[in-house]
Amino acid sequence: MVQPLVKVEHVAIEFRSGRFLSRRRVRVLDDINVEIYEGETFGLVGESGSGKTTLGKTIVGLYRPAEGRVLYRGKDIWSMSKEEFREFRKQVQMIHQDPYASLNPVHTIFRILSKPLLKYKLATPDDVEEKVAQLLKRVGLTPPEDFMYKYPHQLSGGQRQRVSIARAIAVRPKMLVADEPVSMVDVSLRVGILKLLARLREELGMSLLYITHDLATLRYIAKGGRIAVMYLGKIVEIASVEELIEKPLHPYTQLLLAALPEPDPKVTRSKKLPKLRSIDIPSIANPPPGCRFNTRCPYYKAGLCDREPPPMIEVEKGHWVACWLYAKR
Amino acid sequence: MPGENLILSIRNLNVVYWARRGWVKAVRNVSLDIYRGEVLGLVGESGSGKTTLALTVMKLLPTNAKILSGSILYYGLGKAVDLAKLSEKEIRKYRWKEIALAFQGAMNAFNPVMRIKDHFIETAKAHLGHVDEEEVLKEARELLKLVLLEPDRVLRSFPHQLSGGMKQRTLLALALLLRPKLIILDEPTSALDVVSQKVILETLRNIKREFSTTMILITHDLSIAAELTDRVAIMYAGKIMEVGGVEDIFYDPMHPYTRGLLKAVPVLKGTKEVESIPGSPPDLIDLPPGCAFHPRCPYAMERCRREDPPLVEVKPGRFVACWLYTKR
């Protein structure tokens, strides 16, 4: 059995919420289990509040689990030595939704990109300019001279996102976590960024964890890879991209697919929502007992779904689902 | 002469913003007709001028913006009224009562210390003068039911007690309270989960059926336009590039920009090749000469670099601004 690059084991993340006297802990991720292999594209899909961004940040070591472990090459990242942790943080890079917020506005692109190169001794003061130029070319910002001494605000949204990608790959990571990297980029330019990410993953042999709410984009970027569907801090289904879109098993995944509008008037108008018990998502601060989807699920069974959380079971090879429709008690 | 069915007719409208670097040409020579009872989609990327166009119709432009020329004829009251020429005091008679605007991010549209109930009452009072509160609340209950909310619970609530999707639907009900003839919806579903989004779009379809309200739906998302609109106008760099029936636009796009945009959207099924449009949208302060799309256009000709093509009716109801289709 190949060892996964990253293994998330029974992870729970809790945030403190509320003011001093009413302060309490909110569990935003609960019993998360995921394995991501070397070179793999793994998609994390969910709506706002599902915990997908929190899980991404947990995997890069920004949040410390309240329960469970995050293993990098078999090693618990929170019991690593300082040097090991530093090396891990270098090998697992993250790019964020808003490239403007993540690039220092008073630094030139040269300064932004030379910093990690010099810090990790991947360039010397003598060849750093050449190395930065190579990076810019690699992400399609050519000719590099046109971009090197500009400031982030002088670039378009798409160009800024390319700069953050360049910064992330500067340190030759083994894994890239991309959190909605195209949601703030113009529609006409999104595919260019997706293609760039897919190409870089291939060329650099990285794993790519792609986080999004958009299944259509995921189908495109994660072709041949796997997807995990998240709902209210839980993973409800894991399958290959093709299987998940063609044969969704969890009622929530089915709902997501039924609700997603498509750029085709006849197709999109023929899609109807299933009859939901409730339209609105419950608050993560007060998740429903049992299966967290039970308050909306069209297949809800009283006394079962609202009592016990369903276990994650493998229905077909590589296709996992957490739903009482498929599990025996 | 405008047909019987016209409700709004925008003619040769030009709007600019003053920025530190110069004049931003946000709306450039836009002419557009909107017919009674239809849903018109105004589709464009950020900076295309779609929101500015909506704000101009409502005369809600910020102080650094200016209408340079053009007219916005409103036919809702029988005779033509040029909204562009009305004073702030006069336009108030039209806002909400005749034309309502539902902004993107409904979260900020409510007063946080007022119950939803009072938003309905205050809105009625502000526009109708003295009103019977019970009458207003009865009407509000009906409308809240229409947008699939529990009327009594919502009316009792403060805005922060409602989820984003619920707030957005409440805002729709509020916009309908005075039975406007025209509603402008600016990205009504952005920032919502996909289920709330689908519910809102279905609700809008019901509203259209029930009240034959005319709607202008502003969005950057082609899928949302596909879901709800009857006709679509595609905007780019402040200009309308193409107008046509929704199926014409999606199944037989003519303008190279429309074609590129459709090709750039990933789909759930099938084997469509996706591709982005090369280059970036232009700087609205320093636009390229000729057609603003020519630097990114695969069909650009010599003429495109020199002259800006006019929006021309190439088939009945089908308008395109592109030299590929205009022989003059």
Side-chain angles (χ1 to χ4, degrees):
Chain A
M1 191 68 194
V2 197
Q3 189 184 54
L5 186 67
V6 170
K7 185 171 187 191
V8 177
E9 249 181 21
H10 303 294
V11 158
I13 296 281
E14 289 178 345
F15 290 149
R16 260 194 277 253
S17 141
R19 261 166 241 169
F20 186 61
L21 287 173
S22 57
R23 177 164 288 179
R24 60 201 202 90
R25 283 189 303 208
V26 174
R27 189 167 268 228
V28 292
L29 287 183
D30 187 45
D31 194 20
I32 299 287
N33 295 285
V34 186
E35 289 172 356
I36 298 162
Y37 292 90
E38 214 154 313
E40 176 181 40
T41 306
F42 194 93
L44 214 49
V45 71
E47 302 186 78
S48 48
S50 64
K52 58 188 192 303
T53 296
T54 307
L55 180 51
K57 288 184 171 172
T58 305
I59 286 172
V60 300
L62 289 173
Y63 294 135
R64 189 170 189 155
E67 280 168 27
R69 302 188 299 167
V70 177
L71 305 172
Y72 182 70
R73 295 190 190 282
K75 208 150 191 193
D76 182 351
I77 63 169
W78 291 100
S79 53
M80 283 178 172
S81 69
K82 226 174 154 189
E83 283 70 47
E84 283 174 321
F85 191 70
R86 196 174 116 108
E87 183 59 25
F88 157 75
R89 288 294 302 268
K90 183 185 128 193
Q91 292 193 7
V92 180
Q93 290 287 319
M94 186 160 187
I95 53 175
H96 299 272
Q97 188 171 9
D98 182 355
Y100 201 56
S102 64
L103 300 174
N104 191 330
V106 299
H107 289 179
T108 61
I109 304 308
F110 173 74
R111 190 157 169 202
I112 289 168
L113 295 180
S114 60
K115 202 176 148 193
L117 289 172
L118 295 169
K119 183 180 166 196
Y120 289 107
K121 307 217 165 19
L122 295 160
T124 62
D126 290 331
D127 68 1
V128 69
E129 194 161 332
E130 196 195 313
K131 290 270 167 69
V132 169
Q134 281 171 7
L135 272 176
L136 287 170
K137 274 192 231 158
R138 187 137 222 187
V139 297
L141 294 174
T142 50
E145 313 80 81
D146 284 5
F147 297 94
M148 221 183 269
Y149 296 103
K150 283 204 169 129
Y151 290 90
H153 75 265
Q154 293 171 299
L155 306 183
S156 73
Q159 291 168 339
R160 283 199 286 260
Q161 196 55 285
R162 283 171 192 265
V163 172
S164 15
I165 294 170
R167 180 176 57 183
I169 62 159
V171 297
R172 298 179 202 154
K174 295 306 290 175
M175 178 159 153
L176 195 59
V177 177
D179 184 13
E180 299 266 17
V182 298
S183 68
M184 297 184 72
V185 173
D186 269 324
V187 181
S188 69
L189 303 172
R190 286 182 183 174
V191 180
I193 305 273
L194 296 178
K195 284 190 173 167
L196 175 68
L197 284 171
R199 198 191 70 208
L200 290 172
R201 182 194 65 79
E202 185 94 42
E203 285 174 7
L204 303 174
M206 300 182 293
S207 308
L208 176 64
L209 177 63
Y210 192 92
I211 303 174
T212 183
H213 68 283
D214 181 6
L215 269 166
T217 309
L218 209 45
R219 170 176 181 246
Y220 185 74
I221 181 100
K223 208 171 272 173
R226 292 184 299 146
I227 297 184
V229 181
M230 294 189 69
Y231 182 76
L232 274 187
K234 286 265 198 191
I235 290 179
V236 298
E237 185 165 1
I238 300 181
S240 72
V241 180
E242 291 70 24
E243 175 105 357
L244 191 99
I245 289 173
E246 293 303 322
K247 254 173 57 192
L249 294 178
H250 198 284
Y252 176 65
T253 313
Q254 293 169 357
L255 175 64
L256 264 187
L257 284 160
L260 196 73
E262 294 189 62
D264 182 319
K266 283 179 191 156
V267 170
T268 202
R269 286 172 204 214
S270 68
K271 288 170 80 167
K272 291 278 169 277
L273 280 183
K275 261 233 154 322
L276 294 177
R277 296 183 66 217
S278 155
I279 294 161
D280 297 292
I281 306 179
S283 156
I284 185 78
N286 246 326
C291 170
R292 293 188 172 189
F293 189 56
N294 85 64
T295 56
R296 302 167 81 198
C297 186
Y299 307 104
Y300 165 76
K301 256 177 114 177
L304 177 63
C305 302
D306 55 358
R307 287 260 171 84
E308 249 182 277
M312 187 65 130
I313 60 156
E314 192 170 21
V315 175
E316 265 169 68
K317 180 127 186 49
H319 196 152
W320 296 78
V321 63
C323 172
W324 285 120
L325 285 176
Y326 308 95
K328 288 199 180 66
R329 280 199 65 191
Chain B
M1 272 310 283
E4 283 281 284
N5 287 325
L6 215 49
I7 188 158
L8 194 73
S9 181
I10 300 169
R11 281 287 164 273
N12 308 314
L13 190 68
N14 284 282
V15 182
V16 292
Y17 285 98
W18 176 247
R20 245 182 307 163
R21 285 169 48 231
W23 291 103
V24 179
K25 291 143 201 109
V27 172
R28 299 188 299 131
N29 210 25
V30 163
S31 294
L32 186 64
D33 289 332
I34 292 120
Y35 298 94
R36 279 173 210 268
E38 76 169 342
V39 181
L40 176 89
L42 209 51
V43 176
E45 302 181 76
S46 55
S48 63
K50 55 194 195 303
T51 296
T52 305
L53 188 58
L55 292 175
T56 311
V57 171
M58 295 295 282
K59 294 210 98 169
L60 288 170
L61 287 169
T63 48
N64 63 333
K66 209 172 127 186
I67 303 178
L68 284 186
S69 59
S71 58
I72 304 166
L73 298 177
Y74 179 67
Y75 293 98
L77 296 173
K79 58 183 194 315
V81 181
D82 188 353
L83 301 178
K85 305 231 157 36
L86 294 185
S87 69
E88 172 59 26
K89 203 176 154 203
E90 290 165 320
I91 191 83
R92 279 194 198 159
K93 283 185 270 177
Y94 293 87
R95 264 186 225 147
W96 286 100
K97 236 178 121 179
E98 292 291 321
I99 308 174
L101 177 64
F103 292 90
Q104 48 185 323
M107 303 43 187
N108 315 319
F110 293 99
N111 181 340
V113 296
M114 253 165 76
R115 284 181 201 277
I116 298 300
K117 177 176 118 178
D118 296 314
H119 282 88
F120 278 92
I121 293 168
E122 289 303 315
T123 304
K125 274 190 187 157
H127 293 271
L128 303 175
H130 189 71
V131 290
D132 178 347
E133 291 190 7
E134 270 318 304
E135 247 343 91
V136 175
L137 290 179
K138 204 177 131 205
E139 180 71 24
R141 275 190 202 98
E142 287 304 311
L143 291 168
L144 287 169
K145 248 187 261 163
L146 187 73
V147 296
L148 307 180
L149 289 167
E150 289 169 53
D152 291 308
R153 197 191 129 203
V154 170
L155 287 173
R156 264 200 319 271
S157 303
F158 285 101
H160 73 267
Q161 293 170 312
L162 305 177
S163 73
M166 292 166 82
K167 264 190 262 190
Q168 190 66 277
R169 278 180 275 148
T170 306
L171 187 69
L172 265 182
L174 190 59
L176 283 169
L177 182 67
L178 305 175
R179 291 289 149 78
K181 297 188 185 86
L182 175 64
I183 300 188
I184 303 175
L185 304 145
D186 189 359
E187 303 276 8
T189 61
S190 67
L192 295 183
D193 61 275
V194 289
V195 175
S196 295
Q197 177 172 303
K198 182 90 178 170
V199 168
I200 287 195
L201 293 170
E202 281 179 359
T203 309
L204 288 169
R205 223 190 323 265
N206 293 341
I207 289 169
K208 187 193 151 195
R209 202 178 308 131
E210 195 108 332
F211 305 116
S212 30
T213 313
T214 311
M215 298 182 195
I216 300 177
L217 175 78
I218 298 173
T219 181
H220 71 283
D221 188 337
L222 283 164
S223 307
I224 288 176
E227 180 91 42
L228 188 68
T229 62
D230 302 309
R231 284 195 310 138
V232 175
I234 304 278
M235 284 189 83
Y236 182 78
K239 220 181 110 170
I240 291 183
M241 297 308 220
E242 181 165 5
V243 183
V246 63
E247 296 200 354
D248 287 337
I249 294 286
F250 279 88
Y251 301 134
D252 180 28
M254 293 176 83
H255 198 286
Y257 175 63
T258 314
R259 289 192 201 166
L261 207 53
L262 278 163
K263 256 194 130 171
V265 189
V267 290
L268 267 183
K269 302 244 155 109
T271 52
K272 177 177 126 174
E273 271 295 315
V274 275
E275 225 163 299
S276 57
I277 304 177
S280 305
D283 180 355
L284 295 176
I285 293 176
D286 185 20
L287 284 164
C291 171
F293 187 60
H294 91 254
R296 306 176 73 188
C297 182
Y299 307 99
M301 306 172 281
E302 190 42 42
R303 190 175 194 183
C304 309
R305 293 180 246 280
R306 276 180 294 129
E307 278 175 82
D308 198 6
L311 187 67
V312 174
E313 188 164 18
V314 290
K315 282 186 235 174
R318 196 70 189 278
F319 299 81
V320 185
C322 176
W323 289 122
L324 287 176
Y325 304 97
T326 315
K327 294 288 168 273
R328 280 181 295 140

